[in-house]
Amino acid sequence: MASPAPATTAGPSAPAGPPFDQDAWLAARGAVWRPDAACWSTLATSPPQRINMCSCHQALSLPEVELMVCSRAREPESDAAPVVTHTVLYAARSGALQVVLDVPTGATLDECAPGAPIPCSVVLELRVEGSSIRFDDTAGTTPSCDHPWIAANNSLPGASGGSSASGQRVRAAYRRICSARGRYVWQRGALRRAP
């Protein structure tokens, strides 16, 4: 079986080209998809409705392992917090999927005007680099992680709400995503941050 070409994906969106066939990828490895507990969210409807917040959209190959790339959205804990998306990489082992990396790679504010002093979103892009993977700011854009408001410890002039409790939650979510930037290598059955 031919290995998939190295691909790039940004946050929760799927890469261009032929759609990824999750069922075929799993069947070829004798595995079955069972969304783990982190995939499920309960909507505040009457009656409450559980939905699967995970989607798998790509396969990638490293010299040691083939991986399925999935995204998982996490509902905000409050209205003022961003929706956070995780990139979750799975390896098929003995008929089951095992998480080998789970990192936050995107956050978006529901109510945010373009040009606001606080960035409306932070998104990292996944790239394959030979025998490793890398998460970086989305190519062709101003690096959101370098925005002064994210790095600042105090509110910036004109950044309304920047020092409020909700502003601090947004900043903390953005910083968690930015801290995932960097290179990861396959070691001892998992992807680990390279020094």
Side-chain angles (χ1 to χ4, degrees), residues 129-145:
E129 294 182 340
S131 61
S132 64
I133 65 167
R134 175 176 285 284
F135 290 101
D136 276 319
D137 291 292
T138 305
T141 65
T142 302
S144 299
C145 288

Side-chain angles (χ1 to χ4, degrees), residues 34-192:
R34 290 185 186 90
D36 51 56
C39 286
W40 296 97
S41 184
T42 302
L43 296 178
T45 58
S46 182
Q49 181 183 5
R50 295 206 5 108
I51 59 170
N52 180 354
M53 303 290 285
C54 291
S55 65
C56 301
H57 47 80
Q58 176 186 357
L60 61 86
S61 291
L62 298 178
E64 303 89 346
V65 66
E66 290 182 85
L67 302 170
M68 184 166 68
V69 182
C70 302
S71 295
R72 171 174 50 84
R74 177 162 290 168
E75 290 296 309
E77 296 169 8
S78 69
D79 290 339
V83 174
V84 175
T85 304
H86 283 237
T87 296
V88 185
L89 302 179
Y90 292 92
R93 293 187 178 138
S94 303
L97 290 179
Q98 180 178 359
V99 174
V100 295
L101 186 67
D102 181 344
V103 292
T105 53
T108 304
L109 291 171
D110 281 339
E111 295 184 19
C112 188
I118 296 173
C120 294
S121 67
V122 171
V123 178
L124 299 182
E125 189 171 70
L126 168 62
R127 290 190 268 281
V128 177
E129 294 182 340
S131 61
S132 64
I133 65 167
R134 175 176 285 284
F135 290 101
D136 276 319
D137 291 292
T138 305
T141 65
T142 302
S144 299
C145 288
D146 294 337
H147 190 283
W149 181 81
I150 295 172
N153 288 324
N154 299 316
S155 62
L156 296 175
S160 63
S163 61
S164 67
S166 62
Q168 293 303 318
R169 282 193 296 273
V170 172
R171 181 181 281 145
Y174 285 179
R175 284 180 175 173
R176 279 192 301 276
I177 289 153
C178 294
S179 71
R181 289 189 296 182
R183 195 167 139 265
Y184 296 78
V185 295
W186 186 258
Q187 292 178 344
R188 301 182 305 276
L191 283 163
R192 301 185 191 283

Side-chain angles (χ1 to χ4, degrees), residues 14-25 56-59:
F20 173 62
D21 188 338
Q22 172 183 319
D23 294 332
W25 190 89
C56 301
H57 47 80
Q58 176 186 357

